[in-house]
Amino acid sequence: MSGQDQSHATSTGASKVPEGIQKAAPEGLERNLPESVHPTGDADKTNKTHALGGGKDSIVPQKIQEAVPEGLERALPNSIHNTGD
């Protein structure tokens, strides 16, 4: 992922993540943190899973399923995270 050596938080001081970690972390990690912890302005986070069975038809941990954007969930192979797509 791109974006190392910079933060993707919406404003300086808005994140609860230390600045050094923000700059070192991959952009995808920053964007998948809850907005209440590290606001990036990503509006497509759903706080729910799109896997079948309420998330039971996935090997991805439930909290991660709920935190990632829907598009990422749907991009995973159904053998890993079955959304029925």
Side-chain angles (χ1 to χ4, degrees):
M1 293 243 164
S2 66
Q4 290 185 327
D5 296 326
Q6 71 180 42
S7 173
H8 294 90
T10 54
S11 65
T12 304
S15 178
K16 295 178 182 169
V17 177
E19 187 175 347
I21 293 173
Q22 292 178 43
K23 289 181 177 181
E27 179 179 357
L29 175 65
E30 284 189 85
R31 296 204 178 276
N32 286 317
L33 290 171
E35 287 288 298
S36 62
V37 173
H38 186 72
T40 58
D42 289 345
D44 64 346
K45 291 182 183 178
T46 61
N47 294 322
K48 67 177 187 175
T49 182
H50 293 89
L52 299 178
K56 292 183 171 121
D57 203 3
S58 175
I59 62 171
V60 177
Q62 185 78 27
K63 289 292 184 183
I64 293 173
Q65 293 178 44
E66 295 170 359
V68 299
E70 179 179 356
L72 177 59
E73 282 189 87
R74 296 199 182 278
L76 291 171
N78 282 338
S79 61
I80 294 172
H81 185 75
N82 188 2
T83 59
D85 292 347

